[in-house]
Amino acid sequence: NCLDGMVRDKIDKNIVWWGVNGQGIIKYNEKTKTVVNHFFKYELNSNKNNYDYLWTEFIQIAPNNCVWTGGYAGLVKIENDKPTVYNFGGNKLSFVKNLYMQNDETFWVSSLNTGLVKFNPKTGLFKSYVKENSTIGTNGVQNVIPADNGNLWVCTLNDILLFNPKTEQFSPQNIQFNGQKIDKIENFEIDKLNTFYISNNNGTYYKTISSKKYEEIKYNTSIIPAYQH
């Protein structure tokens, strides 16, 4: 089992929420050293919609103290110790990978099956940007990161796109290393210096704000890591 994240409760500072891949969401009291509650759901029957949140991809906590996580089930909210699942794909599971909380009425959800989802947590209303109704080009989104001027960086399985929410247009970026496109992307991050990082099975690549091309990060293979995942 892997710990996907940990957040502290905004009301009771003794409470810590864990997102555990394979165990769901655990509410833990550090003062008493006890598990207060454990949230998970697992449905083995493949003939049904498998609304699992036993496997989590992340865990976040909103200013109103609602805990949010995602996974096969879709987007999961825990409010007052009651879980609610939001699936954006109808009969097709969302498989939510990540979440960017822009404000209390606008969440941007990354989904491997239902693209980029604009979700209002107050009303439950949502809009999915998929290849069938937009220029996103795919239904698989790994991550969303805020960009300048209210835009969003959207990481799909094979592209990095700049998304303008006002025009609803996606602009693909040049992501090449040694003349070859970087594809089958597993993760995308931007640090405080605005350096871009992309990783896939072949390696990890970066591009600084002043550079026009990606470089590969070279690892010292002579150093044996303490833990290998």
Side-chain angles (χ1 to χ4, degrees):
N1 300 323
C2 300
L3 183 67
D4 285 312
M6 182 170 59
V7 293
R8 188 167 299 278
D9 196 276
K10 292 185 177 297
I11 296 175
D12 186 345
K13 297 302 181 182
N14 293 315
I15 297 296
V16 175
W17 296 83
W18 300 338
V20 184
N21 203 335
Q23 290 292 323
I25 305 99
I26 296 173
K27 184 180 180 181
Y28 181 74
N29 189 311
E30 287 186 326
K31 186 176 182 180
T32 62
K33 294 181 171 56
T34 56
V35 173
V36 180
N37 215 330
H38 187 190
F39 305 90
F40 67 92
K41 187 175 183 180
Y42 178 64
E43 296 181 9
L44 187 60
N45 188 349
S46 61
N47 295 323
K48 311 170 55 175
N49 274 338
N50 189 5
Y51 292 110
D52 286 353
Y53 47 94
L54 188 65
W55 288 272
T56 61
E57 294 291 326
F58 63 89
I59 187 166
Q60 297 183 29
I61 192 164
N64 64 356
N65 210 44
C66 287
V67 174
W68 295 87
T69 188
Y72 294 114
L75 188 65
V76 181
K77 175 181 73 173
I78 299 176
E79 183 176 16
N80 298 321
D81 280 10
K82 294 181 180 180
T84 303
V85 179
Y86 300 93
N87 178 41
F88 308 113
N91 292 327
K92 188 176 184 180
L93 293 177
S94 299
F95 195 175
V96 168
K97 291 288 290 182
N98 221 317
L99 173 66
Y100 164 49
M101 302 181 188
Q102 184 173 350
N103 53 53
D104 60 358
E105 293 186 352
T106 304
F107 286 5
W108 295 96
V109 183
S110 311
S111 164
L112 286 187
N113 290 330
T114 52
L116 174 66
V117 181
K118 183 180 182 181
F119 173 65
N120 187 324
K122 289 188 173 181
T123 65
L125 298 176
F126 67 91
K127 178 177 181 178
S128 295
Y129 295 90
V130 291
K131 62 184 179 182
E132 290 82 5
N133 67 9
S134 72
T135 57
I136 194 171
T138 180
N139 292 346
V141 176
Q142 293 276 30
N143 199 8
V144 178
I145 298 175
D148 294 336
N149 303 316
N151 296 326
L152 301 170
W153 291 111
V154 178
C155 173
T156 71
L157 298 174
N158 292 307
D159 279 299
I160 304 298
L161 310 170
L162 185 62
F163 176 62
N164 185 326
K166 293 181 179 179
T167 64
E168 298 185 317
Q169 293 298 307
F170 294 86
S171 302
Q173 306 299 296
N174 182 18
I175 51 169
Q176 291 190 350
F177 173 69
N178 283 346
Q180 298 293 321
K181 184 178 180 180
I182 304 171
D183 59 4
K184 298 180 181 178
I185 300 170
E186 295 183 352
N187 198 15
F188 168 63
E189 299 292 343
I190 304 174
D191 68 14
K192 293 181 180 180
L193 299 177
N194 212 30
T195 301
F196 285 35
Y197 297 89
I198 300 175
S199 64
N200 63 12
N201 284 335
N202 296 322
T204 302
Y205 310 89
Y206 73 97
K207 181 175 75 69
T208 64
I209 191 171
S210 60
S211 175
K212 293 184 179 180
K213 62 180 182 178
Y214 281 87
E215 302 289 344
E216 186 177 13
I217 295 178
K218 300 291 186 181
Y219 297 101
N220 187 347
T221 57
S222 65
I223 300 174
I224 301 176
Y227 172 74
Q228 291 182 330
H229 179 65

